[in-house]
Amino acid sequence: MDASKMAVSINKAINTQEAAVKEKHARTCILGTHHEKGAQTFWVAVNRLPLSSNAVLCWKFCHVFHKLLRDGHPNVLKDSLRYKNELIDMSRMWGHLSDGYGQLCSIYLKLLNTKMDFHTKNPRFPGNLQMTDRQLDEAGENDVNNFFQLTVEIFDYMEWELNLFHTVFKSLDMSRSVSVTAAGQCRLSPLIQVILDCSHLYDYTVKLLFKLHSCLPTDTLQGHRDRFMEQFQKLKDLFYRSSNLQYFKRLLQIPQLPENPPNFLRASALSEHISPVVLIPTGNSPPDSETLVETDDLVGMDSSSHQSMPENKFDDIFGSSFSNDPFNFSSQNGMTRDDKDRLIEQLYKEIAILRGDLGNFKAESHRLVSNLKGRIQELEAELAEQKHLREQAVDENEFLHTELEELKRKRQDTEKAQKSLTEIERKSIANEQRYTKLKEKYAELVQSHADLLRKNAEVTKQMTLAREALGDMERSKKELEDSYQRVNEHTQRKAQEQMHQMDELQGALESKKQEVQLLQGSLETSKQDSLTQFKDLEEGFLQRLMQEVEGIIHEALQKLDEPLYTSGSVSTDFLISRTVAAVDSTEKLDEAWKKHMSDTSDVNSLLPNLVQFAHRISDVIMQGAQTRTSDKLCDSCRTCGAEALTYLSALKNKAMESEADCSQITAMLKHIADIAQELRPPSLDIKEEELGDLVEKEMAATAAAVETAASRIEEMLKKSRTDDTGLKLQVNEQILGSCTDLMQGIQALILASKDLQKEIVESGTGTASPKEFYARNSRWTEGLISASKAVGWGATVMVDAADLVVQGQGKFEDLIVCSHEIAASTAQLVAASKVKAEKNSSNLTRLQQASKVVNHNAAGVVASTKSVKSQIEEVDTMDFSSMTLTQIKRQEMDSQVRVLELESQLQKEREKLGDLRKKHYELAGVSEGWGDAAE
């Protein structure tokens, strides 16, 4: 395809008329990108258009560009990325207009930028988004983290599609038939591309969410489900409204989404999902041209109507005879009837001849008129063709000129890129060399002793050279003396100069001897200094390492009192194994240190034992705090950490080095193991009254904790209404009100759990007592206690977080995390109760209903927290009116750097969260007692 033809089609497709883009021009642009394997011609033509000054022109450009991204050559995306910043600036500029096409252009440009970002991050997705299930799995590389991130990106993509959809409908006057007007079709035509995109994005979102729910816990995906429900309702409403418009009815068949969204918590619901398909009937397209009405046929009909008139029509008009004519004088003049008949026949014949001549004349006139009109049309067509050729030549000339300028610019860009590449390669080489030097620094320090030995050899060599120089000087002295004797008969001045030279040589000889002595002394000194320096380096490194080890133990001791580390989520068996490993590492460190004291040069065997000792001791401290909420165990862990710090301080002090004793540490570790042994879960042979009393005690403690939390929430709400006003009062009422609803739901949950527990005990005891039932099902009882404690602990932490937020010292994220934890603990309590309950139990149904209420109220806390956070962020919006262009550019660069840092931190925190969850799942069966096959 000729590039000039494509440029003409681009100019015809993107014009200032408020009408829909003609399909034939858009199709020519798409074929042009496939012909030239890119979008160079498109952007050359677009850069000449005043997109920033005409909103309709910019709107139609967005429509054509959207079509090229979907159906054009794959290189269209690569060629368009260089103009991404210009599109962002143009979107920001049009966003300042509140009506008309301004807001439409702003949102459409943001959608196109989002589409380019999505395809750049996910190159496996084609522009039209058509993929099979296998290709979708390959896009995620069978990694749940990739599928999680891909779902978030599809949500963002769909969000901008729905924003454009909604904004276009909002800008139309739906009380009139806007879809049949040119202005209405100009706004509605781009929505065809949006409908095609949304149908695929919705289908992929459903499949990805089912895949994520099969790999991750349901509470982790609560945010995904909430966002999907919001987009599902919007898309369903927009599809329904679009299907009722006359414009869309004749162009495509819009699918309707199901009445209810998919249930992702039921894996079999995936088989009920039907992918929405947009059908485009063949032959249906927007009208491209107007129909011309020919009038020549009407002229021809007028001219030929006389020929088809029957002969008797004349008789009908003038009469068949003249017998009744009162003015018939022929009979009065004596003319007979036969003469009259002959005259009439003759007149009829003459009339027929005249009629034939008249018809021939009219036919000839009509033929001449038709020929002249045809000639006029040919001349007009030839004139139009000449004009088209002239315009085509002008466009081709402009295109060639533009292409020449583009080639010049590309050559300059290539030269700049080559220079930049050379500079980057040079910097890369320099950075690599610098890294190599830093990497070799440690090796240089290790080999410093060998370097000093080589330096000794060089000094020895210099002494040899000095001795040789001394011999040369002596020989020179003899030669000078001989020369003095030979030239003694010459002038006295010459003799004095030679004597002076001899004195200078004698002084140089003495100085050389002194230098040799100095070099010998320097050699001995450098040997001693190098050995001392090497020992100092090793000693300093050891001291820094011991400081870091003390810091690790200090950090573990500081975390003893934090709520996160006193939740009782680690089993006693695991703690006992950790203490045994810590005792072993302590004894190895003591043995290695004694070896180091006898041979100070042996440091390599000491360092790994020291690091292992620190990590094992800190591990025992933190794992001990997480085993059970026991003050005795926490105090023992704190004492163990103090003994470890005392032992390290003794090792650091040279005077106390020989008095360092690790026996106190090993004794304390064994004491911790004994306490953990006492705290092990009760087995079948424990006392029945102890386990039964423990169940009642923990349930009562949980109810009391929830009651206390609800009372604190009510007090904080009353205090806020008394002390606060304005936005702060509104914020506090929203947060505390949602927390109050959640506390009420938890109270109902505890009551339902007690009733169900009582029913389970009564139905399962038989002839035995309730305490015997608890003893016989000890693992189940321990899991029930653990779930109940988790609910009470979550309520307490929720109140503390809400108190800090109301005071302005906390974080909104703490409330969100606490809500999720309470929902997870509720599910754990329901699961623990469901194990022993009857399937048709009314108390179980009541407990499940209470669990749903708690989950709903927890979601309400999350929603109110996000709403309050957005209100505060809107109030705290920065004012850029007084900033200069340079300051704004600087702030933009700082924001970009901050975004990259936060993205990196987010990725690291997600990886850390995944590792923590894996570890939690490994330990959950041990700590909560769900792994007993007999139960």
Side-chain angles (χ1 to χ4, degrees):
M1 178 181 293
D2 192 359
S4 60
K5 184 177 180 180
M6 180 180 176
V8 172
S9 298
I10 293 171
N11 292 326
K12 289 183 179 180
I14 307 175
N15 53 41
T16 58
Q17 297 178 359
E18 192 174 2
V21 175
K22 293 186 177 180
E23 187 66 25
K24 62 180 181 180
H25 299 321
R27 190 182 302 111
T28 303
C29 297
I30 294 172
L31 294 176
T33 60
H34 287 279
H35 178 73
E36 67 178 12
K37 294 181 174 58
Q40 298 90 350
T41 304
F42 173 76
W43 284 109
V44 169
V46 166
N47 287 332
R48 296 199 300 264
L49 299 176
L51 301 180
S52 301
S53 58
N54 192 305
V56 177
L57 195 69
C58 183
W59 175 254
K60 300 179 80 171
F61 154 74
C62 293
H63 186 190
V64 175
F65 184 38
H66 196 173
K67 279 179 168 288
L68 294 184
L69 289 176
R70 278 185 51 83
D71 302 323
H73 193 273
N75 288 338
V76 171
L77 176 62
K78 182 175 67 175
D79 294 339
S80 304
L81 288 175
R82 69 178 64 177
Y83 303 98
K84 185 171 181 290
N85 293 331
E86 298 178 7
L87 298 179
I88 294 174
D89 295 338
M90 193 183 303
S91 171
R92 190 180 298 109
M93 185 271 294
W94 284 117
H96 294 298
L97 299 181
S98 59
D99 55 357
Y101 280 90
Q103 287 295 325
L104 295 177
C105 293
S106 177
I107 295 177
Y108 207 165
L109 289 168
K110 291 178 181 178
L111 169 60
L112 295 175
N113 279 299
T114 304
K115 182 176 180 65
M116 289 192 291
D117 291 339
F118 177 80
H119 289 292
T120 303
K121 295 179 181 177
N122 304 280
R124 293 180 184 268
F125 280 79
N128 57 8
L129 298 175
Q130 294 181 1
M131 296 180 68
T132 62
D133 293 343
R134 181 178 179 181
Q135 291 173 336
L136 185 63
D137 291 337
E138 293 175 354
E141 299 178 357
N142 292 324
D143 187 352
V144 67
N145 295 322
N146 294 341
F147 285 125
F148 191 96
Q149 182 63 26
L150 178 60
T151 307
V152 174
E153 294 173 357
I154 291 179
F155 277 141
D156 296 339
Y157 191 178
M158 177 75 85
E159 190 71 27
W160 284 110
E161 298 275 8
L162 296 176
N163 286 344
L164 179 62
F165 218 141
H166 176 73
T167 307
V168 170
F169 275 121
K170 186 178 178 182
S171 66
L172 297 175
D173 185 5
M174 304 307 293
S175 63
R176 300 185 299 107
S177 299
V178 293
S179 64
V180 298
T181 63
Q185 293 177 2
C186 181
R187 301 190 182 195
L188 291 173
S189 58
L191 295 186
I192 296 176
Q193 313 300 319
V194 176
I195 293 172
L196 293 172
D197 287 347
C198 289
S199 63
H200 292 297
L201 293 176
Y202 167 78
D203 184 34
Y204 301 152
T205 304
V206 173
K207 294 177 180 178
L208 288 174
L209 283 177
F210 272 111
K211 187 179 295 294
L212 288 175
H213 277 79
S214 65
C215 302
L216 296 176
T218 57
D219 57 335
T220 303
L221 300 172
Q222 182 63 43
H224 279 48
R225 291 196 298 274
D226 295 341
R227 195 169 183 185
F228 173 81
M229 286 296 300
E230 180 182 357
Q231 293 187 356
F232 173 81
Q233 296 298 336
K234 290 182 180 178
L235 186 61
K236 181 180 178 181
D237 178 63
L238 293 174
F239 273 9
Y240 176 76
R241 294 173 64 184
S242 302
S243 62
N244 293 328
L245 291 179
Q246 187 65 30
Y247 178 71
F248 291 122
K249 286 183 178 179
R250 64 188 183 88
L251 293 180
L252 72 165
Q253 182 177 349
I254 301 175
Q256 297 301 320
L257 299 185
E259 185 67 23
N260 297 318
N263 184 6
F264 299 110
L265 302 180
R266 183 167 57 90
S268 60
L270 178 60
S271 60
E272 303 172 3
H273 169 66
I274 300 176
S275 301
V277 179
V278 181
L279 298 179
I280 302 178
T282 57
N284 287 355
S285 62
D288 291 339
S289 60
E290 298 178 356
T291 304
L292 300 178
V293 180
E294 298 290 345
T295 58
D296 294 342
D297 295 338
L298 299 177
V299 176
M301 290 175 61
D302 293 339
S303 62
S304 60
S305 61
H306 297 288
Q307 296 180 4
S308 61
M309 183 182 296
E311 294 183 0
N312 57 6
K313 188 71 176 177
F314 183 81
D315 295 336
D316 295 336
I317 297 175
F318 297 102
S320 60
S321 65
F322 301 101
S323 59
N324 297 327
D325 189 357
F327 299 99
N328 189 355
F329 298 103
S330 60
S331 61
Q332 298 177 7
N333 293 331
M335 184 176 294
T336 63
R337 186 175 180 83
D338 294 336
D339 294 333
K340 289 191 294 182
D341 293 338
R342 285 193 299 273
L343 180 61
I344 290 171
E345 291 176 358
Q346 185 178 359
L347 290 173
Y348 273 130
K349 291 179 181 178
E350 290 177 358
I351 290 172
I353 293 171
L354 290 174
R355 284 178 178 173
D357 294 338
L358 180 62
N360 294 333
F361 176 76
K362 289 182 177 181
E364 183 66 21
S365 299
H366 177 68
R367 185 180 62 80
L368 292 174
V369 169
S370 300
N371 292 336
L372 290 175
K373 288 184 177 180
R375 181 59 180 168
I376 290 171
Q377 290 179 356
E378 292 177 357
L379 292 175
E380 288 177 350
E382 186 176 358
L383 178 61
E385 184 177 2
Q386 292 296 330
K387 289 182 179 179
H388 177 69
L389 292 175
R390 179 177 175 276
E391 292 175 356
Q392 187 175 1
V394 172
D395 292 338
E396 185 175 1
N397 186 21
E398 292 178 356
F399 175 76
L400 292 175
H401 180 70
T402 305
E403 188 174 5
L404 179 61
E405 295 294 329
E406 182 69 16
L407 290 175
K408 290 181 179 179
R409 187 180 62 79
K410 285 183 178 180
R411 186 180 66 181
Q412 294 176 357
D413 293 342
T414 304
E415 293 176 354
K416 293 180 180 179
Q418 187 66 28
K419 293 180 180 178
S420 177
L421 179 60
T422 304
E423 183 67 18
I424 291 172
E425 289 178 352
R426 186 183 64 79
K427 291 182 178 180
S428 176
I429 293 172
N431 290 332
E432 186 175 357
Q433 292 176 353
R434 191 178 299 110
Y435 173 75
T436 304
K437 290 179 180 179
L438 291 174
K439 187 177 180 181
E440 294 174 353
K441 188 65 178 178
Y442 180 76
E444 290 176 0
L445 291 174
V446 174
Q447 296 177 358
S448 60
H449 185 65
D451 293 337
L452 291 173
L453 293 177
R454 286 193 295 271
K455 186 176 180 181
N456 184 20
E458 291 176 358
V459 171
T460 305
K461 184 177 179 181
Q462 290 179 2
M463 290 176 63
T464 304
L465 294 175
R467 292 191 182 96
E468 292 177 357
L470 182 60
D472 292 338
M473 289 178 184
E474 291 176 355
R475 287 191 298 271
S476 299
K477 180 180 179 181
K478 293 179 180 179
E479 291 176 359
L480 288 173
E481 289 176 354
D482 296 339
S483 176
Y484 175 76
Q485 293 176 359
R486 286 195 303 268
V487 298
N488 194 22
E489 62 272 10
H490 294 292
T491 61
Q492 188 68 24
R493 182 179 179 183
K494 189 68 174 179
Q496 292 178 353
E497 290 178 356
Q498 289 180 353
M499 289 295 294
H500 181 66
Q501 290 179 358
M502 287 178 64
D503 293 337
E504 290 179 351
L505 290 174
Q506 187 67 28
L509 179 61
E510 295 296 332
S511 63
K512 287 293 182 180
K513 290 180 179 180
Q514 293 178 359
E515 289 179 2
V516 170
Q517 294 176 355
L518 292 174
L519 287 173
Q520 290 177 346
S522 176
L523 176 61
E524 297 297 330
T525 305
S526 61
K527 286 181 180 180
Q528 297 297 329
D529 292 340
S530 61
L531 292 175
T532 304
Q533 182 181 6
F534 192 72
K535 291 181 179 179
D536 292 340
L537 287 174
E538 289 183 344
E539 188 67 26
F541 180 73
L542 182 59
Q543 292 294 327
R544 288 195 299 271
L545 181 60
M546 293 186 70
Q547 291 177 0
E548 293 179 1
V549 166
E550 290 178 344
I552 293 173
I553 298 176
H554 274 297
E555 183 179 359
L557 290 174
Q558 291 175 0
K559 292 181 179 180
L560 273 175
D561 298 327
E562 295 185 10
L564 178 62
Y565 292 93
T566 59
S567 59
S569 59
V570 177
S571 67
T572 55
D573 294 335
F574 184 73
L575 175 60
I576 293 171
S577 64
R578 297 292 89 193
T579 55
V580 173
V583 170
D584 181 63
S585 63
T586 303
E587 293 175 351
K588 288 183 178 179
L589 175 61
D590 188 65
E591 181 180 354
W593 191 269
K594 292 177 180 179
K595 184 178 179 181
H596 173 67
M597 290 173 61
S598 61
D599 185 7
T600 57
S601 62
D602 186 10
V603 183
N604 296 329
S605 61
L606 179 63
L607 300 182
N609 290 314
L610 186 61
V611 174
Q612 189 179 26
F613 168 77
H615 286 288
R616 292 284 173 82
I617 293 297
S618 62
D619 190 20
V620 168
I621 294 172
M622 289 190 292
Q623 301 298 340
Q626 296 183 71
T627 302
R628 297 285 174 183
T629 55
S630 172
D631 295 336
K632 183 178 179 181
L633 186 59
C634 291
D635 294 339
S636 300
C637 293
R638 188 175 288 106
T639 304
C640 180
E643 290 293 340
L645 292 175
T646 303
Y647 177 66
L648 292 174
S649 299
L651 295 182
K652 288 171 58 178
N653 192 347
K654 293 293 184 179
M656 300 175 60
E657 190 174 32
S658 59
E659 299 177 1
D661 187 11
C662 65
S663 60
Q664 295 295 331
I665 302 175
T666 55
M668 188 54 61
L669 289 172
K670 292 178 181 178
H671 182 62
I672 293 173
D674 294 338
I675 297 175
Q677 187 70 25
E678 295 175 359
L679 294 176
R680 294 184 67 181
S683 59
L684 293 176
D685 58 349
I686 63 173
K687 294 182 180 180
E688 298 172 0
E689 61 273 13
E690 293 181 0
L691 188 56
D693 295 339
L694 181 61
V695 173
E696 297 296 332
K697 179 180 178 181
E698 292 297 340
M699 294 297 290
T702 300
V706 174
E707 186 70 28
T708 303
S711 301
R712 288 183 60 190
I713 290 290
E714 290 292 335
E715 292 175 2
M716 286 189 288
L717 186 57
K718 292 179 181 178
K719 182 179 180 182
S720 177
R721 288 172 178 171
T722 305
D723 300 340
D724 302 329
T725 57
L727 178 61
K728 186 175 181 181
L729 177 59
Q730 181 181 358
V731 167
N732 295 344
E733 284 185 346
Q734 289 185 14
I735 294 176
L736 296 178
S738 59
C739 291
T740 301
D741 296 338
L742 180 58
M743 292 301 125
Q744 294 174 355
I746 294 175
Q747 288 176 337
L749 178 73
I750 296 298
L751 293 176
S753 177
K754 285 184 176 180
D755 295 338
L756 179 59
Q757 178 189 350
K758 182 178 180 181
E759 178 184 343
I760 291 172
V761 173
E762 291 176 354
S763 62
T765 55
T767 58
S769 63
K771 294 183 178 180
E772 291 177 351
F773 175 82
Y774 286 130
R776 188 170 61 251
N777 300 277
S778 59
R779 299 295 296 276
W780 174 80
T781 304
E782 184 179 359
L784 184 66
I785 293 172
S786 176
S788 176
K789 288 172 61 178
V791 173
W793 174 79
T796 303
V797 176
M798 166 70 78
V799 175
D800 294 337
D803 191 8
L804 292 176
V805 170
V806 169
Q807 295 177 7
Q809 301 175 359
K811 298 180 180 179
F812 292 104
E813 289 77 8
D814 293 339
L815 288 175
I816 297 175
V817 173
C818 289
S819 301
H820 291 166
E821 288 296 329
I822 290 174
S825 302
T826 301
Q828 180 183 355
L829 180 60
V830 174
S833 302
K834 191 176 180 181
V835 172
K836 296 291 183 181
E838 297 293 336
K839 182 181 296 185
N840 299 325
S841 173
S842 59
N843 289 324
L844 176 60
T845 303
R846 189 160 65 91
L847 178 63
Q848 291 175 340
Q849 293 295 332
S851 173
K852 292 180 181 179
V853 172
V854 171
N855 289 334
H856 181 269
N857 293 341
V861 174
V862 175
S864 62
T865 302
K866 292 182 179 179
S867 175
V868 167
K869 184 178 180 182
S870 63
Q871 292 178 8
I872 295 176
E873 289 175 352
E874 290 177 359
V875 173
D876 296 336
T877 303
M878 295 181 63
D879 183 15
F880 301 101
S881 59
S882 62
M883 298 177 65
T884 63
L885 178 61
T886 304
Q887 293 173 342
I888 291 176
K889 187 65 177 178
R890 180 62 182 175
Q891 291 287 341
E892 182 180 359
M893 292 175 63
D894 294 340
S895 298
Q896 291 176 353
V897 172
R898 182 61 178 164
V899 166
L900 293 176
E901 292 177 353
L902 292 176
E903 287 178 349
S904 176
Q905 293 178 4
L906 177 61
Q907 182 65 25
K908 292 180 180 178
E909 286 298 324
R910 280 177 175 165
E911 294 175 357
K912 181 179 178 181
L913 178 61
D915 294 336
L916 288 173
R917 280 179 175 154
K918 291 178 182 178
K919 190 65 177 177
H920 175 72
Y921 295 154
E922 293 174 2
L923 300 177
V926 179
S927 62
E928 298 177 359
W930 302 113
D932 194 347
E935 294 179 8

